[in-house]
Coordinates of all heavy atoms in Angstrom, one line a residue:
P428 N 60.6 209.9 122.5 CA 62.0 209.6 121.9 C 63.0 210.8 122.4 O 64.2 210.7 122.5 CB 61.8 209.5 120.5 CG 60.4 209.0 120.3 CD 59.6 209.7 121.5
E429 N 62.4 212.1 122.4 CA 63.3 213.2 122.7 C 63.6 213.3 124.1 O 64.5 214.2 124.5 CB 62.6 214.5 122.3 CG 61.2 214.7 122.9 CD 60.0 214.3 121.8 OE1 60.2 213.3 121.3 OE2 59.0 215.0 121.8
D430 N 63.2 212.4 124.9 CA 63.7 212.3 126.3 C 65.0 211.4 126.4 O 65.7 211.3 127.4 CB 62.6 211.6 127.2 CG 61.3 212.4 127.4 OD1 61.6 213.6 127.6 OD2 60.3 211.8 127.4
T431 N 65.4 210.8 125.3 CA 66.6 210.0 125.2 C 67.8 210.9 125.6 O 68.1 212.0 124.9 CB 66.9 209.5 123.8 OG1 65.8 208.5 123.6 CG2 68.2 208.7 123.8
A432 N 68.7 210.5 126.7 CA 69.7 211.3 127.1 C 70.5 210.5 128.1 O 69.9 209.6 128.6 CB 69.2 212.6 127.7
T433 N 71.5 211.1 128.5 CA 72.2 210.6 129.8 C 71.7 211.5 130.9 O 71.8 212.7 130.8 CB 73.7 210.6 129.6 OG1 74.2 209.9 128.5 CG2 74.5 210.3 130.9
Y434 N 71.3 210.9 131.9 CA 70.7 211.7 133.0 C 71.6 211.7 134.2 O 72.2 210.6 134.7 CB 69.3 211.0 133.4 CG 68.2 211.4 132.6 CD1 68.1 210.9 131.2 CD2 67.2 212.2 132.8 CE1 67.2 211.2 130.4 CE2 66.1 212.6 132.1 CZ 66.2 212.0 130.8 OH 65.0 212.3 129.9
Y435 N 71.8 212.8 134.7 CA 72.9 213.1 135.9 C 72.1 213.6 137.1 O 71.3 214.6 137.0 CB 73.9 214.0 135.5 CG 74.7 213.6 134.3 CD1 74.4 213.9 133.0 CD2 75.9 212.9 134.5 CE1 75.2 213.5 132.0 CE2 76.7 212.5 133.5 CZ 76.4 212.7 132.2 OH 77.2 212.4 131.2
C436 N 72.3 213.0 138.3 CA 71.7 213.6 139.4 C 72.8 214.7 140.0 O 74.0 214.6 139.7 CB 71.4 212.6 140.5 SG 72.7 211.6 141.2
N437 N 72.3 215.5 140.8 CA 73.1 216.7 141.2 C 72.5 217.0 142.6 O 71.4 216.9 142.9 CB 73.1 217.8 140.3 CG 73.4 219.1 140.8 OD1 72.7 219.8 141.5 ND2 74.7 219.5 140.4
L438 N 73.5 217.4 143.5 CA 73.1 217.9 144.9 C 74.1 218.8 145.3 O 75.2 218.9 145.0 CB 72.9 216.8 145.7 CG 74.0 215.9 146.1 CD1 74.8 216.5 147.3 CD2 73.5 214.6 146.7
D439 N 73.6 219.7 146.3 CA 74.3 220.6 147.1 C 74.5 220.0 148.5 O 73.5 219.8 149.1 CB 73.9 222.1 147.1 CG 73.8 222.8 145.8 OD1 74.8 222.4 145.0 OD2 72.8 223.5 145.6
A440 N 75.7 219.7 149.0 CA 75.9 219.0 150.2 C 76.7 219.8 151.1 O 77.7 220.5 150.7 CB 76.7 217.7 150.1
E441 N 76.5 219.9 152.4 CA 77.2 220.5 153.4 C 78.2 219.4 153.8 O 78.0 218.6 154.7 CB 76.4 220.8 154.6 CG 77.1 221.6 155.7 CD 76.2 221.9 157.0 OE1 75.1 221.3 157.0 OE2 76.6 222.8 157.8
Y442 N 79.3 219.4 153.1 CA 80.4 218.3 153.3 C 81.3 218.7 154.5 O 81.9 217.6 155.0 CB 81.1 218.1 152.0 CG 82.0 219.1 151.7 CD1 83.5 219.1 152.0 CD2 81.6 220.2 150.9 CE1 84.3 220.2 151.6 CE2 82.5 221.3 150.5 CZ 83.9 221.3 150.9 OH 84.7 222.2 150.7
A443 N 81.4 219.8 155.0 CA 82.1 220.2 156.3 C 81.1 221.1 156.9 O 80.2 221.7 156.2 CB 83.4 220.8 155.9
L444 N 81.4 221.5 158.2 CA 80.5 222.4 158.8 C 80.4 223.8 158.2 O 81.5 224.4 157.9 CB 81.0 222.5 160.4 CG 80.0 223.3 161.2 CD1 78.7 222.6 161.4 CD2 80.7 223.6 162.5
K445 N 79.1 224.1 157.7 CA 78.9 225.3 157.1 C 79.6 225.6 155.8 O 80.0 226.6 155.4 CB 79.0 226.5 158.0 CG 78.1 226.5 159.2 CD 78.2 227.7 160.0 CE 77.2 227.6 161.2 NZ 77.3 228.9 162.0
T446 N 80.1 224.3 155.1 CA 80.8 224.5 154.0 C 80.0 223.7 152.9 O 79.8 222.3 153.1 CB 82.1 223.9 154.1 OG1 82.8 224.6 155.1 CG2 83.0 224.0 152.8
Y447 N 79.7 224.2 151.7 CA 78.9 223.6 150.8 C 79.6 223.4 149.4 O 80.4 224.2 149.0 CB 77.6 224.4 150.6 CG 76.8 224.7 151.8 CD1 77.1 225.6 152.8 CD2 75.8 223.8 152.3 CE1 76.4 225.8 153.9 CE2 75.0 223.9 153.3 CZ 75.3 225.0 154.3 OH 74.6 225.1 155.4
K448 N 79.1 222.3 148.7 CA 79.7 222.0 147.4 C 78.7 221.2 146.6 O 77.9 220.6 147.1 CB 81.1 221.2 147.6 CG 81.9 220.9 146.3 CD 83.0 220.2 146.6 CE 83.9 219.9 145.4 NZ 85.1 219.2 145.7
T449 N 78.8 221.5 145.3 CA 77.9 220.7 144.4 C 78.6 219.3 143.9 O 79.8 219.4 143.6 CB 77.7 221.5 143.1 OG1 77.0 222.7 143.6 CG2 76.8 220.7 142.1
F450 N 77.9 218.2 144.0 CA 78.5 217.0 143.5 C 77.5 216.4 142.5 O 76.3 216.7 142.3 CB 78.3 216.0 144.7 CG 79.3 216.4 145.8 CD1 78.9 217.3 146.8 CD2 80.6 215.9 145.9 CE1 79.8 217.7 147.9 CE2 81.5 216.3 146.8 CZ 81.1 217.2 147.9
W451 N 78.1 215.6 141.6 CA 77.4 215.1 140.5 C 77.4 213.4 140.6 O 78.5 212.9 140.8 CB 78.0 215.5 139.1 CG 77.8 217.0 138.9 CD1 78.5 218.0 139.4 CD2 76.7 217.5 138.2 NE1 78.0 219.2 138.9 CE2 76.8 218.9 138.2 CE3 75.8 217.0 137.4 CZ2 75.9 219.8 137.4 CZ3 74.7 217.8 136.7 CH2 75.0 219.2 136.8
G452 N 76.4 212.8 140.0 CA 76.4 211.4 139.8 C 77.2 211.1 138.5 O 77.5 212.0 137.7
Q453 N 77.3 209.8 138.3 CA 78.1 209.3 137.2 C 77.3 209.2 135.8 O 78.0 209.2 134.7 CB 78.6 207.9 137.4 CG 77.7 206.7 137.2 CD 76.6 206.5 138.3 OE1 76.6 207.2 139.2 NE2 75.7 205.6 138.2
G454 N 76.1 209.4 135.9 CA 75.2 209.4 134.8 C 74.6 208.0 134.5 O 75.2 207.1 134.7
T455 N 73.3 208.1 134.0 CA 72.6 206.8 133.7 C 71.9 207.0 132.4 O 71.3 208.1 132.2 CB 71.6 206.3 134.8 OG1 71.1 205.0 134.3 CG2 70.5 207.3 135.0
Q456 N 72.1 206.1 131.5 CA 71.5 206.3 130.1 C 70.0 205.9 130.0 O 69.6 204.8 130.5 CB 72.3 205.4 129.1 CG 71.7 205.5 127.7 CD 72.0 206.8 127.0 OE1 73.0 207.5 127.3 NE2 71.0 207.3 126.3
V457 N 69.3 206.8 129.4 CA 67.8 206.5 129.2 C 67.7 206.5 127.7 O 67.8 207.6 127.2 CB 66.9 207.5 129.9 CG1 65.5 207.4 129.6 CG2 67.0 207.4 131.4
T458 N 67.1 205.6 127.1 CA 66.7 205.5 125.7 C 65.4 205.1 125.4 O 64.9 204.1 125.9 CB 67.7 204.3 125.0 OG1 69.1 204.7 125.2 CG2 67.5 204.4 123.5
V459 N 64.8 206.0 124.7 CA 63.3 205.8 124.4 C 63.2 205.6 123.0 O 63.4 206.5 122.1 CB 62.5 207.0 124.9 CG1 61.0 206.7 124.5 CG2 62.7 207.4 126.3

């Protein structure tokens, strides 16, 4: 039950040559 939360994925992407940025997903609900 304590795993219940909104889960977000995250990544660091090279979106331009040698340029990096962190991006986030929209979130997905997990209910136990």
